Amino acid sequence: MKWSRIAASLPFVATAGVAARDLTQKDHSLLRNFPVLGHARYGLELIGPELRQYIVASNDEERPFSRDQRAWIYRSAKGVNNYAGFGTDNDMETLQGYPIIKHRTFARSMAAETEDHAIPCAKVLGGARGRAKAFRPRSVVNVSAMSFGSLSGNAIMAINAGVRLAGAMHNTGEGGLSTYHRQGGELILQIGTGYFGCRDENGEFDLERLVAVVESAPVKAIEIKLSQGAKPGLGGVLPGTKVTKEIAEIRGVVEGKTVVSPSRHTAFHDEDSMLDFVERIATRTGLPVGIKSAVGEMAFWHRLAGLMSTTDGPRRGVDFITIDGGEGGTGAAPIVFSDSVALPWAVGFSRVYKTFYEAGLSDDIVFIASGKLGLPLTATQAFAMGADMINVAREAMLAIGCLQTQKCHEDTCPTGVATQNKWLAHGLDPQQKKHRMANYVLALRKDLLKISDAIGVAHPALIGPEDLELMDGVRRGVALDEVFGYPEGYGGLGLDLAAEIERIMVEGDFVHLGGENEDNRETAATEQPTR
């Protein structure tokens, strides 16, 4: 009886203790005024995102990805029915900026059907500049830059093995080429301002170390990161406590020592020296070399286009340009950078694309679009505006289990995607999730082919800005070329490029793609996941 009375009194004692602490602490005025009860407010704040995600928000309200968008990715990744019934639940009557794809009444289906819904790039990457290892990418959908450290090792393994199954490519991110990236998937090696994996003891760029890394893995191209949508113009700091032995070996830094990534490169200082840097790497490795950037001021792009189009001196230039939207992405950043630094993708891309088109360079450059474009509608808009390929990042995370809890910066990702917590990461099984990664890529390519067929073209790159309109409710619609100031012909391919990619798609000639990778489709064809 005595013990039962003690047990019964424990809740009251605990409550009294909490009340006493609340009344005497000085950090929270709410708790001093409303002891015990005030904790309910903090509890609701803690689970607020989950309440809004599952109870409060409608199918189209959430950001960055709505429930409908996440559901399409999840169902596609699982290989189950991703169709919708009973019509749209979008508010088409009043929604502003709603994209509409304009199908053609009479259009013949031209693209050959393949099991993996193959869509090779319409351009040979590095071909215009005669790179020794120029190639035509086998997939227009690839995975954007996400470093090991930002994502868990299991997540990186699942993504890389998944792109191998789907015949796509995987960008390493600026954190270096880790053991987790070596699951057979083709790679784009990213070089950031910290030169991780290709730096000397003083933190400066080391070309020979870069060559050694490139030769150790299936690296197909090199991307120089100038900025990213999540934090354009902002460097980073990795505290020494997080620089483990594994991270130190991958990044080429000292274990336990704080690592600072500057906001800008030290290996070059302007457009002219950057092009020298590009040519130096391309000559030494033979690989196509490009740049990635969010878009702010346009003077940089005008000067770059001018240098690339000049006939004075040796011909220099980048082989591809990745434009990242300022909407933010997988990188953790101050809110003001995610919300307000750099132009949104559509605005920034259109300005850069027009600059190079007017310089006569658009057919010589592979334009890669990045920034929440891994959905059929947004991807179609990107191709209509002149993109040749799209990179997906957060969509890839969702495909392998991300729940959009938005805890990437806290190292507490509950599904083990964006964390270095070993217990949380162990919940993600790379062998199972690699199939979901591949299924998602295949599903997106499948829908892009369906949309292209509805418009009456054989390849997404043949879709033009006149094929989409942005609606102002039901009051009026404006074609993309008018919205973004594209004169006639902008957003499309040159005649020779258009004819070649149409031939490839119609004949289904996905083996002889040109460039170095003519016989590389065996892996993608023989290891397809079950859908």
Side-chain angles (χ1 to χ4, degrees):
M1 187 63 122
K2 182 178 180 182
W3 288 108
S4 63
R5 288 179 180 175
I6 293 175
S9 66
L10 285 178
F12 298 101
V13 173
T15 302
V18 171
R21 178 189 177 279
D22 290 346
L23 288 168
T24 55
Q25 60 82 36
K26 298 181 180 180
D27 292 331
H28 304 286
S29 56
L30 177 68
L31 296 181
R32 293 193 78 185
N33 293 336
F34 300 93
V36 181
L37 292 177
H39 288 281
R41 182 263 179 197
Y42 295 107
L44 289 172
E45 182 182 47
L46 183 65
I47 63 173
E50 287 78 8
L51 290 175
R52 290 190 294 274
Q53 185 173 21
Y54 295 108
I55 300 175
V56 179
S58 72
N59 288 344
D60 293 309
E61 278 185 337
E62 288 181 90
R63 294 292 182 273
F65 290 88
S66 70
R67 184 180 298 148
D68 275 352
Q69 291 171 332
R70 296 197 313 276
W72 183 86
I73 295 172
Y74 292 148
R75 296 183 69 82
S76 297
K78 293 175 182 177
V80 300
N81 187 347
N82 60 10
Y83 283 28
F86 214 63
T88 182
D89 60 0
N90 293 338
D91 185 11
M92 299 175 66
E93 293 81 9
T94 61
L95 201 60
Q96 291 187 347
Y98 186 82
I100 289 292
I101 300 165
K102 298 188 289 187
H103 70 287
R104 286 185 171 84
T105 303
F106 298 107
R108 58 193 180 93
S109 176
M110 294 183 290
E113 288 288 337
T114 63
E115 183 181 354
D116 64 349
H117 314 294
I119 314 179
C121 182
K123 299 172 183 173
V124 174
L125 186 57
R129 302 196 174 277
R131 305 303 189 199
K133 297 180 181 179
F135 71 105
R136 188 187 299 272
R138 295 177 288 156
S139 174
V140 296
V141 179
N142 301 289
V143 176
S144 192
M146 294 181 285
S147 302
F148 167 62
S150 174
L151 301 190
S152 68
N154 282 358
I156 295 292
M157 285 195 291
I159 290 172
N160 191 258
V163 300
R164 174 175 61 86
L165 295 177
M169 295 185 293
H170 181 193
N171 193 308
T172 63
E174 66 176 312
L177 203 164
S178 70
T179 55
Y180 306 106
H181 288 98
R182 302 173 187 270
Q183 310 304 311
E186 293 180 343
L187 298 166
I188 293 180
L189 179 66
Q190 187 179 81
I191 302 174
T193 58
Y195 306 115
F196 297 126
C198 55
R199 56 190 270 159
D200 62 20
E201 291 75 12
N202 299 317
E204 300 298 323
F205 175 72
D206 188 322
L207 180 58
E208 294 310 311
R209 291 190 181 185
L210 173 67
V211 171
V213 171
V214 165
E215 291 177 347
S216 72
V219 176
K220 304 292 289 183
I222 294 173
E223 180 179 82
I224 301 167
K225 192 190 88 167
L226 304 180
S227 63
Q228 69 184 90
K231 45 185 175 182
L234 187 68
V237 177
L238 186 64
T241 54
K242 289 189 175 182
V243 183
T244 63
K245 181 180 180 181
E246 183 178 36
I247 293 287
E249 290 175 352
I250 292 167
R251 299 197 175 195
V253 297
V254 178
E255 180 182 356
K257 185 177 179 180
T258 297
V259 180
V260 177
S261 298
S263 60
R264 289 168 179 82
H265 282 266
T266 58
F268 52 87
H269 59 276
D270 59 11
E271 297 84 3
D272 190 58
S273 58
M274 185 188 78
L275 288 180
D276 286 341
F277 185 69
V278 167
E279 294 300 328
R280 182 183 167 205
I281 293 174
T283 300
R284 185 68 177 83
T285 65
L287 297 174
V289 181
I291 58 174
K292 173 182 179 176
S293 182
V295 181
E297 55 91 18
M298 286 298 297
F300 162 78
W301 300 102
H302 292 305
R303 288 192 293 266
L304 180 60
L307 288 170
M308 287 177 59
S309 59
T310 185
T311 56
D312 297 331
R315 192 162 179 256
R316 302 173 301 162
V318 296
D319 299 298
F320 64 94
I321 296 175
T322 303
I323 297 297
D324 207 10
E327 295 89 342
T330 57
I335 291 178
V336 66
F337 278 81
S338 294
D339 288 352
S340 304
V341 180
L343 294 169
W345 177 83
V347 178
F349 181 89
S350 64
R351 294 182 184 179
V352 172
Y353 175 85
K354 286 188 291 185
T355 298
F356 286 90
Y357 190 99
E358 290 162 2
L361 296 168
S362 59
D363 280 353
D364 296 342
I365 300 169
V366 172
F367 290 97
I368 304 175
S370 176
K372 198 181 170 184
L373 301 174
L375 298 157
L377 180 57
T378 54
T380 300
Q381 180 175 338
F383 285 110
M385 293 178 63
D388 299 299
M389 299 194 293
I390 63 166
N391 281 349
V392 298
R394 287 172 289 183
E395 299 90 336
M397 293 169 65
L398 291 167
I400 63 171
C402 168
L403 299 177
Q404 192 173 278
T405 57
Q406 297 177 286
K407 298 184 183 297
C408 310
H409 59 298
E410 297 178 0
D411 202 38
T412 57
C413 172
T415 57
V417 177
T419 181
Q420 294 303 304
N421 181 297
K422 292 185 178 180
W423 169 254
L424 294 172
H426 101 286
L428 194 159
D429 179 9
Q431 293 304 310
Q432 195 269 347
K433 297 298 185 181
K434 70 180 182 182
H435 295 291
R436 294 198 178 185
M437 180 68 240
N439 279 336
Y440 159 71
V441 173
L442 267 60
L444 180 52
R445 293 200 304 235
K446 180 180 180 180
D447 275 11
L448 285 171
L449 286 173
K450 287 181 179 179
I451 293 169
S452 299
D453 183 66
I455 294 173
V457 296
H459 188 282
L462 299 174
I463 299 171
E466 69 280 0
D467 293 318
L468 278 80
E469 290 189 12
L470 297 184
M471 305 301 296
D472 179 11
V474 294
R475 291 174 288 280
R476 66 190 294 263
V478 183
L480 286 183
D481 51 2
E482 183 178 344
V483 172
F484 295 104
Y486 278 26
E488 184 177 355
Y490 283 44
L493 297 170
L495 294 178
D496 291 342
L497 289 175
E500 176 65 7
I501 194 59
E502 183 172 312
R503 181 197 66 77
I504 290 172
M505 297 301 292
V506 171
E507 296 178 4
D509 185 13
F510 303 127
V511 175
H512 302 95
L513 292 176
E516 191 193 38
N517 64 343
E518 293 190 359
D519 297 318
N520 284 354
R521 283 199 59 80
E522 182 179 357
T523 300
T526 58
E527 297 188 36
Q528 288 303 316
T530 302
R531 285 184 55 73

